[in-house]
Amino acid sequence: MSEPPGRGAAHGGAGNLPAFSERSSPIADFRFDMGVFLVSAACLGFEISLMRILLVASWHHFAFIVISIAMLGFAASGTVLTLTRRRVLRHDAAVLRAAMLATAFSIPLCTALALHVPVEARWVPALLWRQLAAWALCWLLLMIPFFFSGAAIGLALMAGKDRVGRIYAANLAGSAAGGGLATAAMLAVPAAYLPALAGAAALLSALVLPPHRRARTSCSSAARLELGGPRSEPRASARAESRSEIHTEAGHCPPDPAGAIGGRSTHGAPARAEARGSLIAEHRARSFSRSVLARGAAVLAYAAVIALLPKTIAQDRDKYGAYVLRLVEQGSARQIGAAFGPRSDARAWAGDVFHDLPFLAVGASPPRLSVLTVDGHWAGSVLNVAGLEEAEPVEHTLMALPYAMAPPAASVLLLGESSGANVWLALRRGAARVTVVQPDTNVVRLWRGPLRALGGGVFDREGVSVQVSEPRQFVDRQQERHDVIQLALLEGSAAGSGGLAGLGQDDLMTVEGVRACLARLTPDGVLFACRGIQTPPRDNVKILATFIAALKAQGVDDPADYVAVVRDYLAVCTMVKRSPWTAEEAAGLRAAVARRELTPVWFPGIRDDELNRPDALPTPAYHDAAVALFSSDADAFLDRSDFALRPATDDRPFFHDFCRLAAMGRLRAAFGDAWTTRVEMAFPFVLVAAAGLAAAGALLSLVPAALISDVRRTPGRAAAAGYFAAIGLAYLVLELACLARVTRLIGDPVTSAAVVISTFLCASGVGSLLSQRVRPGNSPVVRAVFVLLLACVGLLLAAVEWAPRLAGGWALTARVAATVFVLAPAGLLMGFPMPLGLARLHVEAPALIPWAWGVNGFASVVAAPLATVIGMAAGFRAAGLAALALYAAAYVFFSRGTPAPGGHAAAE
């Protein structure tokens, strides 16, 4: 992440201490700026890469924590630089190069170490403290590279104090480039190699950095020592020689202005001049050799580290991908294909041990299967068949039931289909046209590649078309209607109890998304979803509640006449029609259920003697839930539930989040020591992470700043704290709120993060530079800036909410361009408050600058998890409005005479 403008000034008021810019040439300046560019690119590239790696290693990209630990690393480095600024500025070149080298080596090393910390997504009460400690250690290790890179960028701004504008521009340009280059690198190399590439960029930054030159008397001093000039004591001579080392690749030896060496004239002394030239040449050769050897040693050491590190990503042992890797180690399975990119890491596996065809009836035998995994999650079982006849087992799955209600030669839409099994089912049921919507190009590449022959080329059969698109975007923009629509992305068992799937956004399984699907049905069409049974029931109850809410949103008064729910011992199939079920259709469904020996849960006209048989549960819980949801008492039923079963919406697209904090006590009493295995822990995980990050931020940023004596003696601390906290919170809360909306537009959370973070950084950097033209103080221009900022943020919140509906069907490059266009104006104005506040502090209360940075750094650390908490609890619209209110509060503090900092988060 980029260092805010003014940080160098905040840390670097060191009077007469030497700075790089005071002893450099244009070539050296360029190399210095290039070093800052590269280390900034490495930092942000690592941040984006880390999200992709965590998607494979764990259950979520954890963007809010990754951003927070980046902020924490920058805040901690700022604290260290503040407390040691005079010492580090005396040795700025050595410290800067060391920080860049430490960044280079820590990125791959700390990533490898963090991925081998035994973090677990399933919480066990007896091991809870150990599990929390493992998570804390993992994030601490991942923070270390951000600490070193933050130190390098902060020190660069301090050392180059008369070139801060150019250095800051290099920092911003590098940050923006890092996000784009990391995303591009994901297309070329597997995710496991991304830290090595980011570290290589940081290593290159240290290599291109110009050498350290303390004085302009290098040649003269050396000449005096060796050509007979006045001699000093041996110790002083040694010190002079060590200080006067010449590094000629950054420039040339300064001339002897007196034309003399050691005070003696060189006129008429060609021998002496020749000796001086020989000495200089020899010294240059030795310096160049030492420089080459040092750089070569650094490169070789880095190559050795990379060669020794593992080339795979260790996965959570409870993930399906970890299970497959264990099978590979045992020789029971083998990888037959892989495709990777920013969107996913997709892999195909073959082996005789794979028999898991979803929801296959008892007594039916599956054909030979291959398995598809995406980011370590099971994504589908691929039937190894040559044609329709061999695909007969799919007729015995629960997904076959809705086709009994479909007309002949139906048009079928499969949203999120990954394996091809449902395509075989549709073709066997006589579908005239099958449209498969798959958002992941890597999955499609595997279909067209290694899985084509094994899977019978099902996606290339006549009547089958494949659309690479987000399912929600597809149904929003498409006008064609279908007889059968399957929400295939829900197929499979429910998320593991205690897992973190609840953190993920699902823009299709919202009330608005299901309503869009219903609009794509023919008058007699059916929409359905099959999902595994859970105990206690939650996923399928929430699916039914979502279908009912979508029907009501379309103006249906009695949804009970439009819905049918059937189950077996493995899963539940929830069906909804665009028109009410007729008596004839209900009779046909009853007959199909009896023929397949399924258990009816709900359909119009269901009888009590049909309930909970033949597959009996302890109670007819699914039927009771359906009756409650169709009744006028539905809201009370949802309020009484131990799980969050209210339908997700576009504003809160967390379908898989079932946690209700109020019910955790009841669940603990009911399930005893196993209570954490019955609770979806996503929301509590966010709360715990927010508390831990807040404590770490206070310890590393807020408390040290408060202990500085000048800060404690200066009035105005409360006002400064209010302003700095407000802008630190506002910036990142708004960034996370926009990221949630942009993810729906772009589709891929990693690419979305790269676009949003890079755009805000670049735009805010330009705003920060423009702010230097505004006079400090509470002037009309400053008031106008804040008014424009509030107006632009308000427009931004409206634009990111509408953009997915307007631009969802555009090409990816066009959607990215639209995102940049929407974010940039507000980002530009968000760059003003920080430098305006710092400028005012320099005039009115310079002693409060460390305090202001400490408060701003603390706010930046807690802002990302806070935005996630608000988004999950109240919606991202509320998070955006909170950011707007915080910017308004910041202006109130500023107008009351608050010396204030700025528009970015401290580590932004």
Side-chain angles (χ1 to χ4, degrees):
M1 306 292 286
S2 67
E3 186 76 359
R7 190 155 196 158
H11 296 311
N16 59 356
L17 294 176
F20 269 104
S21 55
E22 296 172 357
R23 52 181 189 273
S24 59
S25 67
I27 295 177
D29 288 347
F30 172 78
R31 292 176 59 178
F32 186 90
D33 296 343
M34 183 56 65
V36 173
F37 174 92
L38 289 169
V39 76
S40 302
C43 178
L44 195 64
F46 175 58
E47 183 175 341
I48 301 301
S49 300
L50 199 53
M51 298 178 193
R52 168 101 298 281
I53 292 169
L54 291 172
L55 277 168
V56 178
S58 191
W59 300 83
H60 190 58
H61 52 72
F62 299 109
F64 68 98
I65 297 184
V66 172
I67 292 173
S68 284
I69 63 170
M71 301 296 102
L72 185 61
F74 269 74
S77 68
T79 299
V80 171
L81 291 176
T82 297
L83 299 177
T84 62
R85 67 179 186 269
R86 296 190 65 86
R87 182 177 301 175
V88 298
L89 283 173
R90 290 193 191 98
H91 310 282
D92 53 1
V95 175
L96 179 57
R97 196 184 305 275
M100 289 177 171
L101 287 173
T103 301
F105 283 88
S106 65
I107 287 176
L109 282 172
C110 291
T111 303
L113 291 172
L115 292 179
H116 282 81
V117 174
V119 296
E120 298 172 324
R122 296 177 186 269
W123 303 96
V124 180
L127 305 175
L128 188 60
W129 289 110
R130 192 197 76 180
Q131 291 176 313
L132 289 174
W135 278 100
L137 176 60
C138 176
W139 296 120
L140 177 63
L141 287 168
L142 293 175
M143 185 201 77
I144 292 173
F146 297 110
F147 171 83
F148 286 125
S149 59
I153 296 168
L155 180 55
L157 288 167
M158 293 164 62
K161 55 189 178 185
D162 62 340
R163 297 179 55 255
V164 166
R166 282 189 57 179
I167 296 171
Y168 185 61
N171 169 216
L172 290 174
S175 298
L181 290 173
T183 306
M186 294 174 197
L187 297 170
V189 298
Y193 291 85
L194 295 175
L197 295 180
L203 177 64
L204 188 59
S205 72
L207 298 183
V208 304
L209 202 67
H212 180 50
R213 294 183 292 149
R214 276 285 177 187
R216 299 181 59 88
T217 59
S218 310
C219 299
S220 301
S221 300
R224 289 191 188 102
L225 290 173
E226 299 199 23
L227 297 181
R231 297 182 178 272
S232 58
E233 295 178 347
R235 183 175 301 176
S237 300
R239 282 200 304 268
E241 184 173 9
S242 66
R243 283 197 305 266
S244 61
E245 195 173 282
I246 305 173
H247 297 278
T248 57
E249 72 248 64
H252 58 274
C253 185
D256 182 359
I261 300 175
R264 305 180 206 174
S265 174
T266 60
H267 295 293
R272 189 178 298 278
E274 182 179 350
R276 178 178 182 272
S278 176
L279 175 63
I280 293 173
E282 181 182 352
H283 202 102
R284 286 176 175 173
R286 288 201 305 268
S287 298
F288 181 76
S289 298
R290 285 195 296 268
S291 176
V292 170
L293 288 174
R295 286 165 167 76
V299 171
L300 289 175
Y302 186 77
V305 168
I306 298 303
L308 294 174
L309 292 178
K311 304 302 185 294
T312 58
I313 297 175
Q315 299 183 24
D316 187 309
R317 65 182 183 180
D318 292 322
K319 291 187 74 170
Y320 188 84
Y323 161 71
V324 173
L325 290 175
R326 290 193 290 270
L327 292 178
V328 172
E329 291 176 359
Q330 298 165 8
S332 301
R334 70 185 190 281
Q335 180 177 302
I336 58 175
F340 46 80
R343 174 74 193 219
S344 71
D345 184 311
R347 298 178 184 268
W349 311 87
D352 295 333
V353 294
F354 298 125
H355 305 290
D356 43 356
L357 185 62
F359 314 144
L360 186 64
V362 175
S365 299
R368 187 181 179 90
L369 299 174
S370 300
V371 166
L372 184 67
T373 61
V374 174
D375 289 337
H377 300 284
W378 178 87
S381 297
V382 180
L383 279 67
N384 298 168
V385 299
L388 285 173
E389 185 176 347
E390 295 180 23
E392 188 271 343
V394 297
E395 295 274 9
H396 304 284
T397 63
L398 187 59
M399 287 75 74
L401 177 64
Y403 287 92
M405 309 296 108
S411 171
V412 178
L413 176 62
L414 303 176
L415 296 173
E417 172 66 11
S418 296
S419 69
N422 289 303
V423 182
W424 285 118
L425 176 60
L427 293 175
R428 282 189 59 87
R429 284 310 184 104
R433 185 170 65 257
V434 180
T435 303
V436 178
V437 179
Q438 171 52 241
D440 191 347
T441 56
N442 296 314
V443 172
V444 176
R445 287 166 59 193
L446 292 179
W447 290 347
R448 307 297 193 201
L451 291 176
R452 189 179 189 280
L454 287 173
V458 64
F459 294 101
D460 297 322
R461 287 185 166 257
E462 184 178 357
V464 179
S465 64
V466 177
Q467 302 291 327
V468 180
S469 171
E470 292 297 321
R472 174 62 186 279
Q473 294 173 2
F474 184 84
V475 296
D476 276 344
R477 73 175 187 268
Q478 195 207 32
Q479 299 302 316
E480 182 182 0
R481 296 180 183 269
H482 303 272
D483 300 302
V484 177
I485 300 178
Q486 180 185 355
L487 303 180
L489 77 173
L490 285 177
E491 189 176 295
S493 299
S497 297
L500 300 177
L503 292 172
Q505 295 179 212
D506 189 335
D507 294 306
L508 184 64
M509 275 309 299
T510 64
V511 174
E512 297 87 346
V514 172
R515 185 180 180 186
C517 292
L518 291 173
R520 302 281 75 81
L521 286 174
T522 58
D524 293 323
V526 59
L527 167 70
F528 75 96
C530 293
R531 190 152 179 85
I533 281 180
Q534 317 87 35
T535 303
R538 48 196 182 278
D539 293 51
N540 288 293
V541 177
K542 196 167 186 176
I543 290 173
L544 177 57
T546 305
F547 283 8
I548 292 172
L551 288 168
K552 289 183 176 179
Q554 284 196 324
V556 173
D557 294 327
D558 191 2
D561 293 335
Y562 294 73
V563 176
V565 184
V566 178
R567 69 171 179 86
D568 60 11
Y569 72 103
L570 289 173
V572 177
C573 180
T574 306
M575 297 171 281
V576 59
K577 288 174 57 65
R578 193 173 181 183
S579 57
W581 291 79
T582 65
E584 183 180 356
E585 289 171 334
L589 179 62
R590 178 179 280 115
V593 168
R595 186 168 58 251
R596 293 174 174 272
E597 297 184 337
L598 300 174
T599 301
V601 173
W602 175 269
F603 59 84
I606 192 172
R607 302 188 304 267
D608 289 344
D609 63 327
E610 296 176 304
L611 299 177
N612 207 27
R613 63 182 63 179
D615 295 310
L617 294 174
T619 64
Y622 286 99
H623 174 75
D624 294 344
V627 170
L629 290 172
F630 288 129
S631 72
S632 58
D633 195 38
D635 285 337
F637 166 77
L638 294 172
D639 290 337
R640 291 193 305 269
S641 174
D642 289 336
F643 300 96
L645 301 179
R646 290 193 179 276
T649 64
D650 283 352
D651 191 40
R652 294 175 60 193
F654 298 98
F655 171 81
H656 300 282
D657 176 30
F658 298 96
C659 180
R660 290 193 66 193
L661 295 178
M664 293 181 72
R666 296 194 297 270
L667 291 171
R668 184 172 184 176
F671 295 103
D673 290 342
W675 72 277
T676 55
T677 65
R678 302 290 181 174
V679 180
E680 309 297 341
M681 296 293 287
F683 191 61
F685 179 87
V686 177
L687 294 177
V688 172
L693 288 166
L699 180 65
L700 296 177
S701 180
L702 194 62
V703 173
L707 295 179
I708 297 175
S709 58
D710 288 347
V711 170
R712 287 186 278 116
R713 291 195 298 265
T714 304
R717 285 181 299 162
Y723 180 85
F724 276 98
I727 59 173
L729 290 170
Y731 192 97
L732 279 173
V733 168
L734 183 61
E735 183 175 271
L736 267 292
C738 290
L739 177 57
R741 302 294 195 185
V742 170
T743 299
R744 180 184 159 195
L745 173 62
I746 293 179
D748 169 27
V750 176
T751 303
S752 301
V755 172
V756 171
I757 294 173
S758 296
T759 301
F760 271 131
L761 281 175
C762 284
S764 298
V766 173
S768 297
L769 295 176
L770 293 176
S771 69
Q772 297 176 15
R773 302 184 180 186
V774 179
R775 190 177 65 181
N778 191 22
S779 66
V781 176
V782 173
R783 288 195 293 273
V785 167
F786 273 96
V787 170
L788 285 174
L789 171 59
L790 294 174
C792 280
V793 169
L795 291 173
L796 172 62
L797 295 176
V800 294
E801 190 165 339
W802 279 94
R805 308 176 197 179
L806 300 177
W810 296 1
L812 177 61
T813 52
R815 280 178 278 148
V816 169
T819 300
V820 173
F821 177 79
V822 167
L823 298 180
L828 179 78
L829 289 165
M830 288 160 64
F832 275 77
M834 175 71 81
L836 289 178
L838 284 176
R840 190 168 183 181
L841 276 178
H842 275 294
V843 172
E844 299 179 4
L848 288 181
I849 288 177
W851 167 247
W853 277 112
V855 172
N856 191 251
F858 171 76
S860 301
V861 170
V862 302
L866 177 62
T868 305
V869 169
I870 297 173
M872 295 183 72
F876 288 110
R877 185 180 298 117
L881 292 175
L884 186 66
L886 285 165
Y887 273 125
Y891 176 67
V892 172
F893 283 115
F894 192 93
S895 63
R896 292 182 177 179
T898 306
H904 317 353
E908 284 281 301

